[in-house]
């Protein structure tokens, strides 16, 4: 059951407009009108995406006079992040192993930026221009 809920969560945030809305809400709470203006979407489209996000638990709303303000609910995102952590560790280890392998194959690849020592050496070994 937990796995199914995670898959559904990924399906919900897979939609680019919903991800854009979540990104906006990560910085501050926003009204439908503010989201509409910033993302250049129609009010019905923004409302539809907010309803999906609210039903999934990603956002919550409060009423402020005649405006409804939406804000991010971090709980579901934390759950997804915790679940993804195992895969980050897996890929990190594999990427590190790839880097070590590539360094063994091509030792010059290790440090793409010359060190200060190398820069100084280059300066001292260059021929002087003729005057």
């Amino acid at each position: 059951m937990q796995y199914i809920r995670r898959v559904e969560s990924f399906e919900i945030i897979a939609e680019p407009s919903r991800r854009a809305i979540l990104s906006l809400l990560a910085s501050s709470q926003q009204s439908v009108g503010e989201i509409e203006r910033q993302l250049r979407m129609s009010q019905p489209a923004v409302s539809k995406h907010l309803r999906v996000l609210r039903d999934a638990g990603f956002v919550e709303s409060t009423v402020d006079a005649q405006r409804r303000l939406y804000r991010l609910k971090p709980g579901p995102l934390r759950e997804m992040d915790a679940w993804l952590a195992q895969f980050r560790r897996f890929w990190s280890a594999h990427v590190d192993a790839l880097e070590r392998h590539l360094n063994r194959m091509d030792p010059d690849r290790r440090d793409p930026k010359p060190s200060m020592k190398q820069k100084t050496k280059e300066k001292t070994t260059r021929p002087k221009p003729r005057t």
Side-chain angles (χ1 to χ4, degrees):
M1 187 66 178
Q2 193 78 325
Y3 174 78
I4 292 170
R5 197 164 35 139
R6 279 191 204 108
V7 170
E8 289 171 351
S9 295
F10 282 110
E11 289 173 355
I12 289 166
I13 63 172
E15 207 287 321
S17 296
R18 293 186 195 129
R19 286 196 314 273
I21 291 170
L22 290 172
S23 293
L24 280 178
L25 297 177
S27 59
S28 66
Q29 66 181 5
Q30 308 268 330
S31 69
V32 174
E34 291 166 333
I35 295 169
E36 176 186 340
R37 280 187 296 281
Q38 291 180 61
L39 298 180
R40 298 174 190 220
M41 293 173 59
S42 69
Q43 186 275 326
V46 170
S47 294
K48 179 187 113 185
H49 289 303
L50 284 169
R51 185 177 341 102
V52 171
L53 291 168
R54 188 183 61 230
D55 291 348
F58 286 103
V59 300
E60 61 187 359
S61 64
T62 57
V63 177
D64 178 36
Q66 294 184 5
R67 301 183 327 160
R68 187 173 292 271
L69 298 174
Y70 287 84
R71 68 176 163 262
L72 202 60
K73 280 180 69 177
L77 294 170
R78 275 193 212 114
E79 289 175 17
M80 292 175 70
D81 183 56
W83 184 74
L84 286 169
Q86 62 187 322
F87 300 104
R88 270 189 230 102
R89 285 189 299 272
F90 170 80
W91 283 111
S92 178
H94 283 75
V95 170
D96 290 347
L98 174 61
E99 183 176 28
R100 286 189 301 275
H101 175 72
L102 292 174
N103 285 339
R104 283 191 303 270
M105 289 177 62
D106 182 8
D108 294 332
R109 187 188 164 287
R110 287 186 186 148
D111 190 1
K113 297 178 187 172
S115 67
M116 289 303 289
K117 195 175 193 179
Q118 289 170 326
K119 286 181 185 178
T120 306
K121 186 177 180 182
E122 287 173 9
K123 285 180 185 176
T124 58
T125 58
R126 287 188 189 145
K128 293 182 181 179
R130 294 183 189 178
T131 54

